[in-house]
Amino acid sequence: MSVTTVRLQAEVEQHLEAIARRLHRSKGWVINQALSECIEKQQLEQERWKQTLEAMESAAQGKVVDASEVHSWINSWGTENEQNAPRSGK
């Protein structure tokens, strides 16, 4: 494990100490948890952005499905005549 020094604002330090006491954990543990969650969130957001850009490119290429086909498909869910997902014409 590596060591990193960080300067905290007084208010942040107070909250950090209070959380650590409440959880019966060290401040280092709380910081590690917070950073791990932040990193995971950033990675998910980056992946979502990548998927959004890919979807926009796909739409720009005309790979789209008519909204009425999508609604019909969704309305068929859970029925005896459940439809397959509509596919783009391209």
Side-chain angles (χ1 to χ4, degrees), residues 32-48:
N32 265 305
Q33 288 298 112
L35 287 173
S36 293
E37 290 175 20
C38 179
I39 290 167
E40 182 178 342
K41 180 181 175 189
Q42 289 298 317
Q43 289 171 334
L44 287 171
E45 287 180 12
Q46 185 176 0
E47 180 59 28
R48 286 186 190 123

Side-chain angles (χ1 to χ4, degrees), residues 62-86:
K63 298 177 184 174
V64 295
V65 176
D66 187 72
S68 63
E69 292 179 47
V70 174
H71 290 287
S72 177
W73 169 58
I74 291 172
N75 290 331
S76 78
W77 291 357
T79 69
E80 288 181 15
N81 299 318
E82 191 167 311
Q83 301 172 8
N84 292 326

Side-chain angles (χ1 to χ4, degrees), residues 2-90:
S2 66
V3 175
T4 300
T5 301
V6 120
R7 293 184 191 273
L8 300 175
Q9 297 171 353
E11 184 178 332
V12 173
E13 173 73 13
Q14 290 170 353
H15 288 293
L16 175 61
E17 287 179 3
I19 292 168
R21 274 194 308 273
R22 188 174 67 245
L23 296 176
H24 304 287
R25 297 287 190 159
S26 69
K27 292 189 296 183
W29 184 90
V30 174
I31 291 168
N32 265 305
Q33 288 298 112
L35 287 173
S36 293
E37 290 175 20
C38 179
I39 290 167
E40 182 178 342
K41 180 181 175 189
Q42 289 298 317
Q43 289 171 334
L44 287 171
E45 287 180 12
Q46 185 176 0
E47 180 59 28
R48 286 186 190 123
W49 181 245
K50 178 182 166 224
Q51 291 172 351
T52 298
L53 292 176
E54 289 170 356
M56 291 172 62
E57 179 62 29
S58 182
Q61 294 173 5
K63 298 177 184 174
V64 295
V65 176
D66 187 72
S68 63
E69 292 179 47
V70 174
H71 290 287
S72 177
W73 169 58
I74 291 172
N75 290 331
S76 78
W77 291 357
T79 69
E80 288 181 15
N81 299 318
E82 191 167 311
Q83 301 172 8
N84 292 326
R87 300 183 62 86
S88 70
K90 294 192 176 192

